[in-house]
Amino acid sequence: MAELITNIGFVKELAATADNMYKHGWDERNGGNISYLIPEEEVAEHIDITKVRRTIPLGFNAKELVGKYFLVTGTGKYFKNVNGDPETNLGLFRIAKDGINAELLWGYVDGGKFTSELPAHLMSHIERLKVDPENRVVMHTHPTNLLAMTYVHELDTKKFTHTLWQMSTECIVVFPDGVEVLPWMLCGTNEIGIATAEKMKLARVVVWALHGIYGAGKTLDETFGLIETVEKASEIFMKTAHLPRLNTITDSQLKELAGLFKVEVRKGILS
Ligand code: 2HA
Ligand code: ZN
């Protein structure tokens, strides 16, 4: 059964997403990581869930996620290679009953393990599931213009969000909850995981200044689209920030947009 899993929907979907992100130029070398929560019934259709191949310590306690299954990109692995060899570059595991171990059911066949950013991923899943029980995806990547923007724009959540909303008409509709901004922090640690998850209580996008972005959503497509929209806005910013600004989308126009599309806009940003 297990050898057929590379043909399975959720594996193909994650591999295609990683490939697409690589082709956007966001995931150089081993940059970026994705975690995808898969319902047990769906996993059990394709894999023998009683056959644990390896037990890997998580390095933190994820008791809120006990019994849940995640398909996750591997540490040190390159997004450009996922499509060609999912079984080496991805792994599917269950959070063990003790909450501190991962039970590997498929993948990481070269002896590898999950991304070093797993704390930020799982802690973000925990928080997003409280806000939206249908949240299944957490995605981290290094979008070029967003990264550039964090070098030249104030790292204030409200100001950063306001600037992005002004950079293209659809932004306030796609991310009415805004973006949360974290200052530079050491990546791959439980500390940045805790800080990211704290921000995920408030928004589906968390910017890691001078590093990249985290996005969360129900599906891979939706989460990719969210990050893509933020990145596009950042690109417009980077193309115009050094030029005289003659026109802008005003706050009252942003409010009109929110009204038309019936989205609840984060308070305290529009005047
Ligand atoms: O896994 O992007 O933040 C590679 C990274 C670390
Ligand atoms: Zn990164």
Side-chain angles (χ1 to χ4, degrees), residues 53-179:
R53 284 156 197 270
R54 272 192 281 147
T55 298
I56 313 173
L58 292 174
F60 59 98
N61 195 319
K63 61 178 184 307
E64 292 92 335
L65 300 173
V66 165
K68 293 210 186 310
Y69 296 76
F70 292 92
L71 182 64
V72 180
T73 51
T75 183
K77 297 297 190 271
Y78 293 20
F79 270 26
K80 78 179 179 65
N81 296 336
V82 175
N83 223 359
D85 185 4
E87 212 158 350
T88 303
N89 293 289
L90 305 177
L92 196 154
F93 55 83
R94 176 176 56 220
I95 306 300
K97 286 200 179 67
D98 60 14
I100 58 169
N101 283 290
E103 297 175 328
L104 182 66
L105 300 169
W106 172 87
Y108 305 144
V109 288
D110 62 351
K113 62 181 239 181
F114 41 73
T115 170
S116 59
E117 303 294 2
L118 196 72
H121 279 259
L122 293 191
M123 292 175 192
S124 293
H125 276 284
I126 292 169
E127 292 310 328
R128 288 312 303 173
L129 283 167
K130 288 180 195 162
V131 182
D132 176 6
E134 285 180 40
N135 191 89
R136 287 178 58 191
V137 176
V138 173
M139 196 179 270
H140 167 60
T141 181
H142 304 161
T144 313
N145 292 286
L146 181 272
L147 198 35
M149 183 169 164
T150 66
Y151 284 84
V152 298
H153 194 284
E154 276 177 85
L155 299 176
D156 172 81
T157 286
K158 287 184 179 170
K159 289 180 183 162
F160 209 94
T161 297
H162 191 253
T163 299
L164 289 174
W165 282 351
Q166 286 186 324
M167 290 300 120
S168 111
T169 296
E170 68 171 350
C171 283
I172 198 163
V173 181
V174 176
F175 50 100
D177 46 346
V179 303

Side-chain angles (χ1 to χ4, degrees), residues 28 30-33 117 140-142 187 208 211-214:
E28 71 292 339
N30 64 321
N33 25 78
E117 303 294 2
H140 167 60
T141 181
H142 304 161
C187 55
W208 279 12
H211 182 141
I213 194 168
Y214 268 77

